[in-house]
Amino acid sequence: MLDDELTCRTRCVIFDFDGPLCKLFGGYPAHEVARVMVGHLGELGLPVPAVDDLDDPHAILRATAAGHRAPGGAGSPAGPAVVELESRLTAEEVRAAASAVPTPHADDLVRALAADGLTLAVASNNSPLAVERYLRSRGLAELFGRHIHGRRPDPSLMKPDPDSVRRVLQSTGINSAHCLMIGDAVSDHTAARRAGVPFLGFAPDDRRAEALRGAGVGGVLRSMEAVDQKLRYM
């Protein structure tokens, strides 16, 4: 389990968004978003990439970007098309945020941590616009302030790249040793580790718990109530 001494010295809690805070595609399913993106690829004149899961919008974006990374780099002909695809995904995620399903107890935990004086932040592979829309709808946006860091137009900076986590460290000014990231995916753990941030796994199902433990995550909790108890009632 996570070292109790670590949780005692935590000053900033960094949440992954989709999973720990809500199910973003709870009302607007991810496979429907993926279908929109595939259609948009055709409009852009780009082929559908070979991916394991064509129902995963992020996999489509990553594979498209990787397959069209031209030697010329920034400003090459493929660059604007990939940026346009990312922009379309952002629009679909913002739409999904309106019907996202809150993770049980997440709202209460966020409010309790803020009341205890901890700094709250988000490091997500989703668009920051979608994160902000959802948090505003729950009356939580002000508790995170300017510490919402999501996907940039360059998909290569998505987790497991530590870019979003490092941006949290920059915006909060809090040392990585005094932060704690809560995530439900191996990519969250990898990004946190690369940024030097301790990690707590959230896994409401066996599949995610198994994946996190297989990646070497020592602290894996099955509910946000359990996360609350770990952070606040030691």
Side-chain angles (χ1 to χ4, degrees):
M1 294 296 291
L2 195 70
D3 188 346
D4 284 351
E5 182 182 348
L6 168 63
T7 58
C8 285
R9 67 172 183 260
T10 296
R11 295 173 49 206
C12 173
V13 177
I14 306 169
F15 289 89
D16 174 42
F17 173 59
D18 188 11
L21 292 178
C22 70
K23 184 177 181 181
L24 176 59
F25 300 111
Y28 179 28
H31 67 85
E32 293 185 16
V33 176
R35 194 155 43 236
V36 170
M37 292 182 67
V38 167
H40 198 52
L41 283 171
E43 296 170 6
L44 294 170
L46 297 178
V48 177
V51 295
D52 292 335
D53 186 1
L54 266 178
D55 287 339
D56 182 348
H58 285 181
I60 293 172
L61 178 63
R62 287 181 191 273
T64 299
H68 294 82
R69 194 171 295 280
S76 65
V82 173
V83 170
E84 173 62 25
L85 184 64
E86 189 281 329
S87 179
R88 184 57 181 264
L89 175 56
T90 290
E92 297 305 310
E93 288 181 343
V94 169
R95 175 184 172 188
S99 57
V101 177
T103 298
H105 199 74
D107 288 12
D108 292 339
L109 174 59
V110 165
R111 292 190 176 96
L113 293 175
D116 286 344
L118 276 74
T119 298
L120 303 179
V122 170
S124 175
N125 280 348
N126 298 114
S127 166
L129 297 178
V131 178
E132 289 166 7
R133 175 168 183 175
Y134 173 78
L135 292 176
R136 280 198 306 272
S137 75
R138 306 298 298 175
L140 301 174
E142 290 185 359
L143 301 182
F144 289 85
R146 59 189 182 88
H147 309 309
I148 296 172
H149 299 282
R151 184 180 62 247
R152 298 206 210 210
D154 181 359
S156 71
L157 296 176
M158 294 166 65
K159 292 175 289 185
D161 189 280
D163 174 70
S164 61
V165 182
R166 287 175 175 161
R167 282 185 279 139
V168 167
L169 301 180
Q170 292 170 356
S171 73
T172 62
I174 297 176
N175 186 280
S176 60
H178 296 289
C179 295
L180 176 67
M181 181 165 186
I182 300 171
D184 68 341
V186 172
S187 59
D188 298 324
H189 174 243
T190 302
R193 178 172 49 80
R194 290 178 179 175
V197 173
F199 183 80
L200 179 60
F202 167 65
D205 57 65
D206 291 340
R207 178 184 59 81
R208 277 180 282 193
E210 205 173 296
L212 288 170
R213 292 192 180 108
V217 179
V220 179
L221 300 177
R222 303 300 294 266
S223 69
M224 295 310 287
E225 290 93 336
V227 172
D228 190 348
Q229 292 170 7
K230 185 67 180 176
L231 294 180
R232 301 178 61 239
Y233 302 110
M234 296 176 296

